[in-house]
Amino acid sequence: MTNPEHTGEGAAVSGRDAITGAAGVVSEEQRARRGEREGGQRSGRRGGRRRGEPTRVPDADFRSYHGRPVLNQIVWEARDIGGYLFLGGLAGASSVLAAGAEVTGRPGLARPLKYTALAAISGSTAALIHDLGRPERFLNMLRVFKPTSPMSVGSWLLMGYGPLAGAAAVTAATGWFPRTGTAATIGAGALGPLVATYTAPLICDTAVPSWHEGYREMPFVFASSAAAAAGGVGLLASPTAQSGPARRVAVGGALTEVAVSSFMEHRMGLVGEPYGQGRAGALTRAAKALTLGGAAGAVLGRRSRALSALSGAALVAGSALTRLGVFQAGVQSAADPKYTVVPQRQRLEERQHSEERA
Amino acid sequence: MAADGQPSRKGFFTDTSVCIGCKACEVACKEWNQVPEDGLDFLASSFDNSGRLSADTWRHVAFIEQRQPLGHQDPGVGRPEGGAGDAPGPVDLGMPSFDLPGQRTGEDGGSGGGDFRWLMSSDVCKHCTSAACLDVCPTGALFRTEFDTVVVQEDICNGCGYCVPACPYGVIDRREVDGRAWKCTLCYDRLGDGLEPACAKACPTDSIQFGDLDELRERAERRVEDLQEAGVSSARLYGEDPGNGVDGAGAFFLLLDEPEVYGLPPDPVVTTRDLPSMWRHAGAAAVVLLAGAAAAFAGRRS
Ligand code: SF4
Ligand code: SF4
C-alpha cells in the first residue's frame, strides 16, 4: 500500500474506468458495439502490420474495479531477477561454447569462456539469493524437488551445473588435473543449454499476461539471446584466429533472437503491446539495435580484433537489455487490468458463442 | 467427515447480495490472525480503504456504485419529497447517490433518476483446487491441508516471491517488512479446533458462509434461483464450477455483475496447466542451442 510501484495503484488508473466502477457500467447497446469493434480488430490486424510500426490495438473497452490491477504486482527487483535471467543464459551458453572449443582444440577461446561461465553463474545465483525476502533461507530451495516449480528445478540444476562450471574454470586457470578439467568442461557444456533455457518457463509459469502468453517462443528467445552473449564474450576475449565458431554462434544467435522476439511480440496481440511501450519498449528497442549492430560488426570486423571486441561487447549488452525488456514488459502487463481482463473476456465470449452454436 | 475419516473439503460461499459493507470480516481476520496494519488510507474509491488483497489484507471488501436498478428493489433515492396521499415519505438513509446533495429534483420521476445500486463484496483467497501458488512454490512452504485448503508455512517460506505473480486472482503477496509470503489460511488453526473461520463468524448478514464445499454449492444454486425469480437477473455464481480454469475454487461467490467489476478475473486459468508444454518448448530450445553450437564448430577451421 505504501509503495505505488508494488501495488500498481495509480499507474493503471486511466480512462473511463478510473473514476468509479459506476462509470464502467456498460449498456446493452454499448456492449453490442464492443463486440463489433473486437470483430473489426481481429480482421483488421490480419491485414498485416509493417515492421517497426507500433502495434496498434484499438482502445480496448473493458471494465475493472476502480481501474486497479487484477493481479498482485511482481515483487522481484528488475536488477536482481533481470540480471539472474541474463547471467544464467550467459553462463549456460558460454559453457556450451567452451566445451566445443575444448574438443576442437581452441584453448584461447575455451579459457575465457570457462571463466565467464563461472563468474556469470555465481552472479546469477547471488542475484537470486539477494532477491529473496529471507536470503538466509536460500537452502530451503533444496528441501524438495518439484517439477511443477521451474524455480525448484532450476535450483537443482544450478547445484549440478555450478560445481562443473567451477571445476572447468579452476582447472583451466591452474593447469591441474587436465583430464578432470576436460570432463568437467564437457559436463558443463551438456547442462549449459538447460541452464540457458529453464528461466523461460520460470517467468512464463505465472499469471503475468505478457510472460505467460509468450511461453512457446520465450525459451527460443532466451536460448538465442544467450548464444549471442556467449558468442560476444568469445569475440571480446579470444584471438581472431580462434574465434570463428564464436563469431558464427554470435551472429546466428543475434539474428534468431531479433527474429523470434519480434515474432513473439506480434503473435501475442494485445498482451504483446507492453513490449513496445514505455520503459519496456525503450529497453526492447535498444536491445534489438545493439544486437543487430553487434551482429553486423561481427561479420564486417572479421579481421579486426578491435572491431570484433566492440561487436562482442554490443552483443553482451544487447542480451542483457533483452532480459530487462522482457522483465519490464511483464511488470507493465501485470500493472494494467486491461491485459488480464480483455483476453479472458474474449476467451469467455468465444466459448459462450461456440456453446450457443453447438 | 467423509467415510474414510478424512475431514471433508471446507470452503466459503460469499453471497455478495446480502453484504452490507460493514468490514466486520476484515477486522475479525486481522484480530484473529494478528495481521499487521496495512495503511490507513483514503483511496478515493468509494468506501474501500484497503484496496486489494495483499500480505496484510486477507479479506477485502469492495464497494461499487452503479446507476442501475437492483431487481425490483426500490432504492428510495431521487424520489420527490412526500408520498402519495397520507403515506409517509421515504426516509433518507444517507445512501450515496450520483447527484450533489440538495440537487435531487425528482423531476425525472421514478425512472432512471432513482436508479442506484451499491455493490459490496468481501473477497478472499479462493483456495483453488489447482492452485498456481502452491504449484510454483520451490520450498514446499505452501501446502494443501487435510481440509483441502492452501496454506503457507511461514517457518519455511524463504520469500522468493514466485507465488505472487503466479496467483491468477492477485491474492498472495510478500510482506515488505518481513520478506515472507502471506495470505488467508481459511483459519487453519480454528478449523483444527472445530471452529468456523473468524470472518464467517463475524459476518452479521451471513454473506460469508462457511461449510462443506458440496453443501455450500447446493445452497448457492438455490440462492441464485431464488434471486433470479425475485427479478435480480444479474445474479450469478463465480468460481464454483469444478470445470473452470482452477478446477473449482474452494471459496466462491454470488455476484451481481461481471467479475471484473469486483476486481476478479473473468476467466482465470491456473498457469501450470501449460507447464508441460513450456518444458517441452524449453527442451526444444536447448536442443536447438546445442545443435547450433555444434554446427558452428563443425564449420571450417578459422
Ligand atoms: S487464489 Fe491465489 S493464493 Fe489462493 S489458492 Fe488460488 S492461486 Fe493460491
Ligand atoms: S515466497 Fe514463500 S510461499 Fe511463495 S513461492 Fe516463495 S517460498 Fe513459496
Side-chain angles (χ1 to χ4, degrees), chain A residues 95 118 121 125 138 142 145 152-168 183-192 194-195 198:
Chain A
S95 286
L118 176 59
I121 205 62
T125 313
F138 170 68
L142 306 177
F145 175 75
S152 167
V153 173
S155 299
W156 284 103
L157 192 57
L158 292 186
M159 288 303 124
Y161 167 82
L164 288 173
T185 304
I186 292 173
L191 288 180
L194 299 175
V195 174
Y198 85 87

Side-chain angles (χ1 to χ4, degrees), chain A residues 162-216:
Chain A
L164 288 173
V170 171
T171 51
T174 57
W176 299 339
F177 312 112
R179 232 169 306 153
T180 313
T182 305
T185 304
I186 292 173
L191 288 180
L194 299 175
V195 174
T197 50
Y198 85 87
T199 43
L202 191 148
I203 62 161
C204 294
D205 192 28
T206 59
V208 177
S210 296
W211 288 347
H212 183 92
E213 276 315 298
Y215 74 83
R216 295 177 191 82

Side-chain angles (χ1 to χ4, degrees), chain A residues 287-315:
Chain A
K288 283 179 186 166
L290 279 170
T291 305
L292 287 177
V299 175
L300 299 174
R302 252 189 321 274
R303 270 169 264 285
S304 155
R305 182 67 209 263
L307 197 53
S308 291
L310 193 65
S311 318
L315 287 169

Side-chain angles (χ1 to χ4, degrees), chain A residues 75 132-133 140-141 146 149 151, chain B residues 132-134 136-142 151-153 156-164 172-174 179-182:
Chain A
V75 292
L132 295 179
N140 281 5
M141 293 275 190
K146 281 174 77 173
S149 169
M151 200 180 274
Chain B
C133 62
L134 190 154
V136 304
C137 175
T139 63
L142 275 154
V151 175
V152 194
Q153 305 170 77
I156 291 172
C157 170
N158 67 9
C160 73
Y162 201 177
C163 49
V164 178
I172 195 165
D173 206 352
R174 194 161 80 178
R180 292 174 295 183
W182 298 90

Side-chain angles (χ1 to χ4, degrees), chain A residues 1-3 6-7 9 19-22 25-26 31 34 63-66 68 70-76 93 96-97 100-101 104-106 109 131-135 137-138 140-141 143-144 146-153 189 192-194 196-198 201-208 212 215-216 219-220 223 227 240-245 248-249 340-341 344-345 347-348 351, chain B residues 38-39 41 43-46 48-54 60-66 68 98 134-141 154-162 164-174 176 178-180 257-269 271-272 274-275 277-279 281-282 284-286 288-290 292-293 296-297 299-302:
Chain A
M1 200 99 335
T2 41
N3 182 351
H6 277 180
T7 58
E9 274 150 31
I19 315 150
T20 65
V25 178
V26 187
R31 221 167 279 174
R34 178 176 68 186
R63 306 170 74 192
S64 71
Y65 180 65
H66 300 290
R68 286 169 181 280
V70 172
L71 304 177
N72 275 342
Q73 303 307 293
I74 295 158
V75 292
W76 297 328
V96 176
L97 291 196
T104 57
R106 292 179 172 91
L109 178 60
D131 200 66
L132 295 179
R134 289 287 175 103
R137 290 187 182 173
F138 170 68
N140 281 5
M141 293 275 190
R143 255 184 95 241
V144 286
K146 281 174 77 173
T148 60
S149 169
M151 200 180 274
S152 167
V153 173
L194 299 175
T197 50
Y198 85 87
L202 191 148
I203 62 161
C204 294
D205 192 28
T206 59
V208 177
H212 183 92
Y215 74 83
R216 295 177 191 82
F220 294 93
T240 38
Q242 293 191 13
S243 66
R248 289 192 283 276
V249 166
T340 309
V341 171
Q344 292 191 17
R345 184 52 52 209
R347 187 164 69 207
L348 207 58
R351 199 159 60 222
Chain B
D38 55 352
D41 301 330
L43 300 177
S45 41
S46 190
D48 187 352
N49 69 324
S50 42
R52 63 187 181 112
L53 289 172
S54 71
H60 162 242
V61 183
F63 292 79
I64 303 125
E65 283 102 14
Q66 293 185 338
Q68 257 186 7
F98 290 102
L134 190 154
D135 285 345
V136 304
C137 175
T139 63
E154 67 261 23
D155 53 340
I156 291 172
C157 170
N158 67 9
C160 73
Y162 201 177
V164 178
C167 170
Y169 298 96
V171 171
I172 195 165
D173 206 352
R174 194 161 80 178
E176 261 173 69
D178 128 318
R180 292 174 295 183
D257 202 341
E258 285 167 353
E260 56 264 41
V261 172
Y262 297 87
L264 297 163
D267 184 31
V269 175
T271 180
T272 32
D274 296 319
L275 187 58
S277 175
M278 292 181 205
W279 283 130
H281 281 87
V288 169
L289 175 57
L290 208 54
F297 279 98
R300 65 212 138 78
R301 282 190 76 90
S302 61

